[in-house]
Amino acid sequence: MDILEYILKFVNEDKKFGYKEMKNGTVLIGCVPEISNEFWMHQIYHPLTKEEIEKLEKETALSFPPSYKKLLTKCNGLFLLEGQMYIYGKSYLQKGMTREEQIYQPYDLREENDDPPFAIPSNLFYFGGTPKTIFVLDEKGHVLELNRRSKRQMKKWNSFEEWIFKVLPN
């Protein structure tokens, strides 16, 4: 099963609380009216084209691991579990976007890498996190979860796919 299929399967149960697909392809799942009528449990952002991915890679001056590039072709970042887990993407505004398309944007990879919670070693690719940890990919394709404060490694997975499959319960 591919990563996006797995994520969609994981969030499917929360569709009963609301589901909205915007014209740009961004999907909002599980409205949480107790917080706001505009707050969604899960946000899966529209995919990027190969050209947009290449442009983002140049703008950030980062070399994207193949697994991250592949994810961007499926979705331009994620906001899951009411913000308890997120993957960065490209945030941008374009002429003609609706208000919702302007509001529901991923955390921006470039901004997050320009101002990380601590100095990220150059052999690690910083791509997401949780409120207390960050996620990085090492040069071998392993995903590491590092504590935002202590910088210590909390967990390690052998691949991007294994990480998603283990972090999100089945």
Side-chain angles (χ1 to χ4, degrees), residues 11-156:
V11 301
N12 189 53
E13 180 71 22
D14 293 324
K15 283 183 179 179
K16 66 186 174 195
F17 300 112
Y19 175 88
K20 186 172 202 170
E21 186 168 347
M22 295 189 292
K23 71 178 184 178
N24 71 355
T26 293
V27 176
L28 307 173
I29 300 167
C31 186
V32 186
E34 299 82 19
I35 296 174
S36 163
N37 286 333
E38 295 183 347
F39 189 86
W40 296 82
M41 284 187 249
H42 314 291
Q43 301 170 31
I44 302 170
Y45 307 105
H46 63 88
L48 297 179
T49 65
K50 182 180 176 187
E51 294 76 23
E52 289 172 318
I53 294 168
E54 289 170 359
K55 184 179 178 186
L56 179 59
E57 199 167 18
K58 285 178 186 167
E59 288 174 357
T60 59
L62 297 170
S63 179
F64 294 175
S67 55
Y68 181 73
K69 281 185 188 182
K70 184 177 177 182
L71 178 75
L72 291 176
T73 67
K74 306 277 185 180
C75 63
N76 177 26
L78 302 162
F79 178 90
L80 299 173
L81 303 165
E82 298 182 18
Q84 294 303 304
M85 180 182 158
Y86 38 85
I87 297 176
Y88 306 136
K90 178 172 178 50
S91 180
Y92 58 92
L93 300 176
Q94 289 181 312
K95 189 173 182 172
M97 290 178 86
T98 66
R99 179 180 170 279
E100 281 185 317
E101 290 170 330
Q102 293 174 25
I103 291 171
Y104 299 109
Q105 296 277 332
Y107 291 126
D108 192 73
L109 177 72
R110 180 179 49 200
E111 289 177 14
E112 296 297 333
N113 275 273
D114 285 349
D115 188 24
F118 56 85
I120 308 291
S122 62
N123 67 322
L124 299 177
F125 177 76
Y126 172 40
F127 69 89
T130 73
K132 295 183 179 182
T133 64
I134 68 167
F135 297 118
V136 296
L137 277 155
D138 70 13
E139 64 280 349
K140 294 181 180 178
H142 301 128
V143 174
L144 309 176
E145 184 174 22
L146 308 175
N147 184 287
R148 281 185 184 272
R149 290 193 179 175
S150 71
K151 307 173 194 170
R152 277 188 285 193
Q153 180 179 316
M154 309 296 288
K155 296 179 185 169
K156 178 180 179 180

